[in-house]
Amino acid sequence: MAAIPVYVVTGFLDAGKTTFINQLFNHPAWKGRDLLLLQFERGQAAITAKSGRVSLLQFSKRELEQPSGEIALRIGRQLALYQQQHGGTDYEEIWIEWNGVVPFEHLEALLLEPPLRRLCCLRKVFQIADADRLELLLNGTGGLLAAQLAVSDIVFLRNVKDKKQRRQLSQQIRVLNPGVAVQDFWEGLLQSRRKLEKRPSALKTLLGLAFLLLLAYGLIQPLLLLFGADTAVNTMVNIFLGIILQAFPFLLIGVLLSSAIQVLLPADFFVRHFPRTLSGGMVAALVAGFFLPVCDCASIPVFRSLIKKGIPLPAALTFLTATPVINPVVILSTYYAFNYDWSVVLERVCLGVIVSVLVGLTFALLPQRTEILQGYGQDPLLCSCGVYDTQQLPVEGWRGKLDLFWRHAQAEFFSVGKFLLIGTLAAAALQTWGSSSGFFSQLAGTGTLALTMLLLMLAAFAFSLCSSSDAVIARSLTNLFPHGAVLAFLVFGPMMDLKNLLLLQASFRRRFIVRLLLTVAGVCFLVVFGVFSLAGV
Amino acid sequence: MRLKVINRQAVWDLLCCGGFAILLLYLLLSGAYLSYVSPRMKPYIYFMAAVLLLWSGRSL
């Protein structure tokens, strides 16, 4: 026997849940259907369904505070009664009007109770939200609304003033739930049944994608052989796997550190312990960067969590840009790559420190006036992971915190990982092109220090080499390019490259990323050029 | 303990994390990882495989 599909309509008080259900049930598509409506909140409007045959069960907030087994038994009895009266058939659909201030986990627990778990199947969650109050509620409900938005399939917005407001709200909602559909309230009401019921299967999508990839490979392989491009594709695949094997462990460390900062440290930890002065903050950022033995992929998630915990932007930026250049792994890899020559290591570290401090200072002197994090990032509770420690459902004890830490890290790893994959693919393609076209040897004859510096910085950005291994490539360039240009390659590459740009895009606003990219590039060029040209080093 | 309900997401977590961890362990134990990265990365890849195994174990 097939499980009864369950549809949930949720939202805060006065959101318009009952109005939505009334309009939906009175739609011709629901005509003659046998429905069970479970109301966990008695709204101002009454249920006035005409088209379908609706059975109504209501539960007060006090009943919700009781163990969920009792409510499940009551629903189970209603389902059994209906079966008896209708010769063994079930309700066609169950609709639930859920009280927005009660954590959604309670409803999930209820549907997993023994009387219901084999009878019901949660199909879709609809969130009804008032456009004017959405931002206020998100910031004022301690993660409760964010957690609900994270599990919603469709968000229906009411009272949307104009297209601009709709676009802004859609962007903010998609930060919390990237796959959610955002629709206008009345437009949503007119949706056909088929569209509401449509549910893409993850398994089918995955199998379909795998089939298409195999098909594409099968079709392309003879063509590649024909045009002699199979070597280039193999090279690209090898470079891609190399970057992945190198970058993912570091990204994982970064995500674990970021989750530890986010979940395990008290909200006011950095406010109490981090130096209050600009210089003190920068020194602390440099010291922290030195003791983090990872590549640039790890510093970005940590940077995001530091910003969320209230670390001043200049200090956090100093940490972000200095860490991939001055940590022990990078120091040792540079030392080995340049045949145990400490002078190159010292030049790289010193220039890295100067550039990162100057980048931080530019943001201190000309503060960023607009929001830098996407969506509701300034609230320490909210991110796109869907794992929240809400006031209504607090996490208790170290075991609970540890569980939240692992769940948060896992969600963040898979959320950020896809950006790393895209960046890596682009970098692998560019590296393949670079090596097959003799990119570096062609550049070697270009002459002036400034021009070669710019070209090598561009190459470092495009190739996205891991900061723990870029020294090997840089060593091979020393015979072709001026020493200053190689140093620019070694300093700029770890601070900002194509894959970092995509990782940043997962959490930060475009305007901030553009400013950061231009600032790092400008400062790096001026500092390295100044040292190697004007000072005559 | 009696199996209550099969959670599809947990099964996918188990397969994805577990599969990735096994692939990494295969690369490490066979030495094939040296075709892609330097030996210096070995402890980091072991660490990643361990965390992925832990994640897949948590979905059981």
Side-chain angles (χ1 to χ4, degrees):
Chain A
M1 194 174 10
I4 309 168
V6 176
Y7 298 93
V8 180
V9 180
T10 183
F12 274 66
L13 202 67
D14 287 341
K17 300 185 288 292
T18 315
T19 310
F20 178 84
I21 289 171
N22 275 332
Q23 296 285 343
L24 211 66
F25 285 3
N26 288 325
H27 192 275
W30 270 265
K31 195 173 180 181
R33 285 184 166 260
D34 283 350
L35 312 167
L36 172 63
L37 175 63
L38 307 175
Q39 244 188 336
F40 288 92
E41 181 182 33
R42 279 171 215 181
Q44 290 179 343
I47 293 294
T48 58
K50 293 171 196 159
S51 306
R53 287 177 287 178
V54 181
S55 311
L56 179 64
L57 276 185
Q58 291 181 313
F59 302 91
S60 64
K61 196 156 187 294
R62 188 181 292 176
E63 284 174 285
L64 259 181
E65 286 159 7
Q66 306 296 321
S68 56
E70 290 178 26
I71 298 175
L73 273 176
R74 208 176 133 194
I75 300 168
R77 278 199 295 270
Q78 176 67 32
L79 294 176
L81 182 69
Y82 182 89
Q83 270 195 346
Q84 278 178 4
Q85 291 172 348
H86 295 81
T89 55
D90 284 317
Y91 282 108
E92 288 173 78
E93 290 167 10
I94 296 176
W95 282 77
I96 296 177
E97 183 177 344
W98 186 248
N99 187 336
V101 296
V102 182
F104 201 77
E105 289 90 336
H106 287 190
L107 177 59
E108 289 171 331
L110 173 68
L111 293 175
L112 285 172
E113 287 289 341
L116 302 180
R117 66 174 176 235
R118 291 192 190 285
L119 292 173
C120 306
C121 165
L122 183 58
R123 189 63 65 87
K124 272 194 189 296
V125 179
F126 306 114
Q127 177 80 34
I128 316 291
D130 188 286
D132 286 332
R133 293 198 304 156
L134 185 70
E135 196 156 358
L136 188 75
L137 287 171
L138 266 168
N139 289 319
T141 55
L144 194 62
L145 181 55
Q148 287 190 11
L149 284 170
V151 296
S152 296
D153 294 286
I154 303 178
V155 177
F156 292 115
L157 290 175
R158 285 184 79 190
N159 304 324
V160 182
K161 281 186 199 130
D162 48 33
K163 281 184 180 174
K164 190 183 170 194
Q165 188 190 29
R166 189 182 191 281
R167 195 176 60 246
Q168 282 175 345
L169 289 175
S170 300
Q171 280 174 353
Q172 287 166 337
I173 291 167
R174 288 198 177 110
V175 169
L176 298 164
N177 183 349
V180 74
V182 182
Q183 291 179 354
D184 189 71
F185 188 67
W186 297 111
E187 177 195 326
L189 287 174
L190 298 174
Q191 294 289 321
S192 68
R193 276 201 61 78
R194 201 167 153 267
K195 199 162 182 184
L196 280 181
E197 282 182 342
K198 200 174 160 189
R199 190 186 184 211
S201 156
L203 182 64
K204 280 182 188 165
T205 312
L206 196 73
L207 289 176
L209 204 64
F211 176 74
L212 279 177
L213 279 173
L214 282 173
L215 191 70
Y217 183 75
L219 289 173
I220 289 172
Q221 186 74 358
L223 286 175
L224 291 173
L225 279 170
L226 192 68
F227 291 104
D230 53 326
T231 317
V233 173
N234 285 338
T235 310
M236 195 181 109
V237 170
N238 283 336
I239 291 172
F240 176 76
L241 288 174
I243 303 177
I244 289 292
L245 271 183
Q246 213 156 32
F248 265 100
F250 290 125
L251 180 72
L252 181 67
I253 293 172
V255 161
L256 291 175
L257 279 171
S258 155
S259 294
I261 292 169
Q262 189 96 340
V263 176
L264 301 180
L265 290 184
D268 60 346
F269 178 84
F270 284 112
V271 177
R272 280 192 282 124
H273 295 99
F274 198 78
R276 290 175 198 281
T277 60
L278 180 66
S279 54
M282 288 199 167
V283 170
L286 289 173
V287 172
F290 179 78
F291 285 106
L292 193 64
V294 290
C295 87
D296 42 331
C297 304
S299 53
I300 290 171
V302 180
F303 168 66
R304 187 180 76 159
S305 58
L306 289 177
I307 292 288
K308 284 191 170 191
K309 286 282 177 181
I311 295 283
L313 184 60
L317 277 172
T318 304
F319 171 84
L320 172 75
T321 47
T323 305
V325 189
I326 65 169
N327 73 65
V329 173
V330 174
I331 288 175
L332 283 176
S333 69
T334 313
Y335 178 64
Y336 291 133
F338 282 86
N339 293 330
Y340 312 103
D341 183 356
W342 278 112
S343 64
V344 178
V345 178
L346 270 175
E347 282 167 353
R348 187 180 193 185
V349 170
C350 290
L351 286 171
V353 168
I354 294 168
V355 170
S356 55
V357 168
L358 286 176
V359 167
L361 280 176
T362 58
F363 278 81
L365 294 171
L366 297 165
Q368 183 78 16
R369 300 208 184 280
T370 52
E371 179 65 63
I372 64 163
L373 283 160
Q374 282 187 17
Y376 299 91
Q378 288 293 26
D379 188 324
L381 284 164
L382 306 184
C383 61
S384 60
C385 67
V387 182
Y388 307 105
D389 178 6
T390 59
Q391 287 159 10
Q392 286 72 16
L393 206 67
V395 171
E396 286 167 2
W398 270 101
R399 287 186 75 131
K401 283 267 183 195
L402 205 62
D403 181 57
L404 188 71
F405 160 74
W406 284 117
R407 282 196 294 145
H408 189 282
Q410 194 173 359
E412 196 174 349
F413 179 73
F414 285 108
S415 162
V416 181
K418 59 178 179 281
F419 289 95
L420 185 65
L421 277 176
I422 298 166
T424 303
L425 193 64
L430 285 167
Q431 277 192 48
T432 311
W433 170 78
S435 58
S436 62
S437 64
F439 177 76
F440 285 120
S441 48
Q442 280 179 22
L443 287 186
T446 47
T448 65
L449 174 65
L451 190 62
T452 48
M453 269 179 67
L454 278 175
L455 289 169
L456 282 196
M457 281 169 67
L458 194 66
F461 178 82
F463 295 165
S464 305
L465 298 166
C466 179
S467 64
S468 62
S469 61
D470 58 352
V472 181
I473 307 287
R475 174 76 182 86
S476 66
L477 303 176
T478 49
N479 297 328
L480 299 170
F481 296 98
H483 190 53
V486 176
L487 256 297
F489 178 87
L490 281 172
V491 174
F492 179 68
M495 290 184 181
M496 195 55 67
D497 60 32
L498 189 61
K499 94 179 134 46
N500 289 357
L501 206 69
L502 282 162
L503 282 175
L504 283 167
Q505 197 158 359
S507 320
F508 294 90
R509 297 202 179 196
R510 201 165 294 163
R511 189 175 288 183
F512 166 72
I513 298 172
V514 170
R515 183 182 165 185
L516 181 63
L517 171 65
L518 294 176
T519 308
V520 173
V523 170
C524 184
F525 179 82
L526 289 174
V527 167
V528 179
F529 186 77
V531 169
F532 283 89
S533 172
L534 302 177
V537 176
Chain B
M1 199 169 70
R2 195 166 62 90
L3 184 67
K4 287 181 180 174
V5 184
I6 293 176
N7 182 334
R8 282 187 195 176
Q9 189 185 336
V11 174
W12 279 111
D13 276 359
L14 178 79
L15 290 176
C16 292
C17 294
F20 197 11
I22 289 168
L23 178 69
L24 289 178
L25 287 174
Y26 165 75
L27 287 172
L28 285 165
L29 296 174
S30 66
Y33 79 100
L34 291 169
S35 307
Y36 305 103
V37 288
S38 66
R40 210 175 42 241
M41 286 301 296
K42 195 175 183 180
Y44 291 100
I45 302 175
Y46 264 119
F47 174 73
M48 182 160 174
V51 173
L52 286 168
L53 279 178
L54 186 85
W55 279 346
S56 62
R58 277 170 50 81
S59 35
L60 285 174

